[in-house]
Amino acid sequence: MTRRRAVVLGSAAVLGVIAIGLVLAFAALTQTVHGRSLVRRLVEAQLGRMVAGRLYVGPITGNLITGFTIDSLEIRDPTDSLFVATGPITVVYDVRDLVDRRLLLRRVEIDRPTLRIVRGADESWNFRRIFSRRSPSAVDRRETRDGGLGEFVVIDSAVVRGGRFTLALPWRPGRDLAGAARDSSIRENLARDDADIRQSDSGYVRRWHWTDIDLALSH
């Protein structure tokens, strides 16, 4: 055996050992409870950077190669008011799409989601406070030009079961009311059975509720 051939075979053996080690490490990371817990913490930390408030990601199950299930998800605004909460979320995908820096989700299932959209007395929306925009860094701008992960997003099918949606908008008594008349109007409206009006941190709001929402969405 020539020296060159021995070097080539030796290099191939080393690369093979490294590849096997990476496969085993990935399997340990995705197929064990401790590995999935580590992934959950990494996901929570990464998404937490985008949220001005509090984010909780529940335990993750599944192989992470073809899909996964998150036990629950919760996001709260800076005042600790609920924005969104869900039961189990199941996502099915092809890992090759992630390698191509695409988010092509074959199927998404969300159980018992609760979404609250609130506009305060200061006219600010809760989702804008939570997902406040930040100035893009040089890396962000370069990834955008190069087509970063998330540039291409497709959900082939989605199912929502048992959803709840609440919309809350500012409420004020008549502008022509003052003093005792204004106080009386507020008391009467707070006691109404046909409208959900209540006091919040930033003033009074009127809420509308939709429950038992089931959706089946195609591509």
Side-chain angles (χ1 to χ4, degrees):
M1 179 184 295
T2 64
R3 181 178 179 183
R4 176 175 295 179
R5 185 177 182 185
V7 170
V8 171
L9 291 177
S11 300
V14 171
L15 292 176
V17 171
I18 293 176
I20 293 172
L22 291 175
V23 171
L24 292 176
F26 183 77
L29 184 65
T30 60
Q31 305 303 312
T32 66
V33 174
H34 294 296
R36 287 192 291 264
S37 295
L38 175 60
V39 171
R40 183 187 70 83
R41 290 195 295 271
L42 292 174
V43 171
E44 194 173 52
Q46 186 67 24
L47 294 179
R49 296 168 53 189
M50 304 166 55
V51 174
R54 187 160 61 88
L55 169 72
Y56 169 78
V57 177
I60 297 176
T61 57
N63 57 34
L64 301 183
I65 298 175
T66 59
F68 59 86
T69 297
I70 299 176
D71 176 72
S72 57
L73 175 71
E74 183 176 289
I75 299 176
R76 292 181 175 270
D77 71 10
T79 66
D80 203 37
S81 294
L82 181 67
F83 169 62
V84 66
T86 74
I89 301 175
T90 299
V91 179
V92 178
Y93 52 82
D94 188 329
V95 72
R96 291 173 296 182
D97 294 317
L98 299 179
V99 174
D100 292 336
R101 306 176 77 177
R102 305 185 305 171
L103 292 179
L104 177 54
L105 308 181
R106 309 294 181 178
R107 190 174 79 253
V108 176
E109 298 180 3
I110 306 176
D111 289 316
R112 304 186 306 278
T114 296
L115 176 63
R116 297 178 68 248
I117 301 296
V118 180
R119 188 173 190 178
D122 58 356
E123 302 301 324
S124 66
W125 294 94
N126 61 340
F127 62 86
R128 292 192 182 277
R129 294 195 302 270
I130 294 170
F131 303 106
S132 55
R133 291 187 177 182
R134 59 186 177 87
S135 300
S137 64
V139 175
D140 294 330
R141 290 192 292 268
R142 184 171 64 253
E143 288 183 350
T144 300
R145 289 196 302 269
D146 296 341
L149 182 64
E151 187 78 7
F152 176 88
V153 180
V154 171
I155 299 177
D156 195 58
S157 66
V159 175
V160 175
R161 305 185 188 93
R164 296 174 57 89
F165 175 65
T166 296
L167 173 65
L169 300 176
W171 177 88
R172 300 176 182 85
R175 296 182 180 275
D176 57 336
L177 299 178
R182 183 178 186 276
D183 294 339
S184 177
S185 174
I186 291 175
R187 286 194 300 269
E188 291 176 1
N189 279 280
L190 291 178
R192 289 172 58 180
D193 294 329
D194 61 337
D196 183 3
I197 299 174
R198 60 179 58 198
Q199 187 170 11
S200 67
D201 295 337
S202 59
Y204 296 97
V205 296
R206 180 172 181 178
R207 306 192 307 177
W208 291 263
H209 306 276
W210 291 264
T211 60
D212 299 324
I213 300 172
D214 294 321
L215 297 173
L217 307 175
S218 59
H219 184 87

